[in-house]
Amino acid sequence: MNGNVEKRCIEIGKYIRDTGATVRQAGAVFGISKSTVHIDVTKRLYEIDKTLYEEVAKVLQENKAERHIRGGNATKKKYSNYKKN
């Protein structure tokens, strides 16, 4: 996948748009770091496909707005497992 950066950017962008995945989730699926995913979909994708970029930007904005909720749920789950043991 490292060979064609433009193709990778488009594939990651479509994946995030279609699934609503976070940057970390997309990185895990494509086997690259979250930093690379972020650069691909925020900087490189803008130059390649502006329409897809705008769609992905909406998903990323939603994920950013919800991340404190996901973090709180993860902490709640972590400590509920301690109580069970």
Side-chain angles (χ1 to χ4, degrees), residues 1-55:
M1 174 124 308
N2 293 340
N4 192 346
V5 176
E6 290 182 4
K7 181 180 175 187
R8 181 183 71 203
C9 292
I10 292 171
E11 287 180 13
I12 293 171
K14 287 180 180 178
Y15 177 77
I16 291 174
R17 178 195 63 195
D18 295 342
T19 63
T22 63
V23 172
R24 285 179 188 251
Q25 291 168 340
V29 169
F30 287 90
I32 55 178
S33 71
K34 65 183 178 120
S35 300
T36 303
V37 172
H38 190 265
I39 290 170
D40 282 353
V41 297
T42 57
K43 295 182 180 177
R44 294 180 181 139
L45 190 59
Y46 180 78
E47 297 173 4
I48 298 168
D49 186 347
K50 290 184 182 176
T51 305
L52 180 59
Y53 165 80
E54 291 170 0
E55 294 169 351

Side-chain angles (χ1 to χ4, degrees), residues 20 55-67 70:
E55 294 169 351
V56 171
K58 288 179 186 177
V59 174
L60 294 178
Q61 192 62 30
E62 289 173 14
N63 288 341
K64 186 175 181 181
E66 296 171 352
R67 70 180 171 191
R70 285 191 303 271

